[in-house]
Amino acid sequence: QAGLTQPPSVSKGLRETATLTCTGNSNNVGNQGAVWLQQHQGHPPKLLSDRNNNRPSGISERLSASRSGNTASLTITGLHPEDEADYYCSAWDSSLSARVFGGGTKLTVL
Amino acid sequence: QLQLQESGPGLVKPSETLSLTCTVSGGSISRSSYYWGWIRQPPGKGLEWIGSIHYSGSTYYNPSLKSRVTISVDTSENQFSLKLRSVTDADTAVYYCARHPDMDVWGQGTTVTVSS
């Protein structure tokens, strides 16, 4: 099953800004949008941004999601130690009639 | 507050069928705008979508698992279930249930090990 492409790892310093990317195609990210999930070790994933780039209640305003063409992005400003986690994107693929995930990005806050 | 809870055996023998149930509490599974799905995560690896179901019974499956998977719904019990047939050790994973399409509510996950 074709998945979405995410960089395996990103490292940034405390209080810096990290931008995570998720690349798909016109059948998934390009016309369906992508959700972003955060997962800390040993915990279930948590939704950070929905298909329309909206943050659920309780998600920090330091996080913002966007999309340009077939690439979705998640920007986290003013990095905190607790932002260190795995981040996954996911989108519905209309050609597969299936949901696809990215491989995940491990964000390290130095 | 909507909550999801997975349940089922933690150990399944190779070639047998893995069966899990997700119980929805704090809300009805019969809301038309949502699907209910299963996602798994092998040890040390990323998330893999298994499939999803609407309360009407409409289903979607991961093409790579479709021949072995059945997802069903029981609206009277506010539950939905997963059956994965002919399991191998590659099916060892933490199995999560989540509300779709945005996966905004997740269960805590249940670990399933395939071993004789």
Side-chain angles (χ1 to χ4, degrees):
Chain A
Q1 179 185 2
L4 308 178
T5 300
Q6 297 183 252
S9 62
V10 169
S11 296
K12 289 290 184 179
L14 210 57
R15 294 183 294 277
E16 291 187 341
T17 295
T19 298
L20 311 182
T21 59
C22 168
T23 301
N25 59 42
S26 60
N27 294 314
N28 44 59
V29 175
N31 73 0
Q32 302 288 329
V35 304
W36 285 94
L37 304 162
Q38 178 193 57
Q39 186 180 34
H40 287 104
Q41 181 73 24
H43 291 271
K46 179 172 73 174
L47 180 68
L48 299 179
S49 177
D50 67 17
R51 293 162 292 158
N52 298 311
N53 299 325
N54 298 315
R55 284 188 310 272
S57 173
I59 299 302
S60 171
E61 292 180 356
R62 297 186 297 105
L63 278 69
S64 64
S66 61
R67 176 169 62 92
S68 177
N70 297 332
T71 298
S73 298
L74 178 72
T75 298
I76 310 172
T77 60
L79 284 168
H80 294 180
E82 59 266 31
D83 295 323
E84 186 162 293
D86 294 322
Y87 291 80
Y88 294 93
C89 62
S90 179
W92 182 256
D93 191 300
S94 55
S95 69
L96 298 173
S97 290
R99 173 160 293 281
V100 291
F101 277 95
T105 295
K106 181 175 181 60
L107 175 62
T108 301
V109 180
L110 302 171
Chain B
Q1 179 184 355
L2 191 77
Q3 293 185 318
L4 280 63
Q5 180 66 59
E6 306 88 350
S7 59
L11 182 64
V12 182
K13 290 183 168 55
S15 80
E16 296 191 344
T17 296
L18 178 161
S19 296
L20 297 175
T21 296
C22 182
T23 300
V24 179
S25 59
S28 173
I29 202 171
S30 300
R31 287 194 61 180
S32 61
S33 48
Y34 295 115
Y35 273 69
W36 305 88
W38 292 95
I39 298 102
R40 69 181 182 178
Q41 186 170 36
K45 296 188 177 181
L47 301 170
E48 180 181 31
W49 184 74
I50 300 171
S52 60
I53 189 166
H54 188 257
Y55 81 93
S56 63
S58 172
T59 53
Y60 293 98
Y61 296 124
N62 183 329
S64 68
L65 297 172
K66 188 173 184 176
S67 63
R68 298 194 291 132
V69 172
T70 301
I71 297 176
S72 57
V73 65
D74 184 340
T75 55
S76 66
E77 296 290 336
N78 227 32
Q79 295 175 334
F80 61 105
S81 298
L82 168 69
K83 289 191 187 299
L84 179 63
R85 297 174 290 277
S86 304
V87 298
T88 69
D89 54 3
D91 296 308
T92 292
V94 177
Y95 285 76
Y96 296 101
C97 55
R99 186 169 73 172
H100 283 45
D102 286 328
M103 297 178 289
D104 59 335
V105 184
W106 290 70
Q108 285 301 305
T110 188
T111 299
V112 178
T113 302
V114 177
S115 175
S116 54

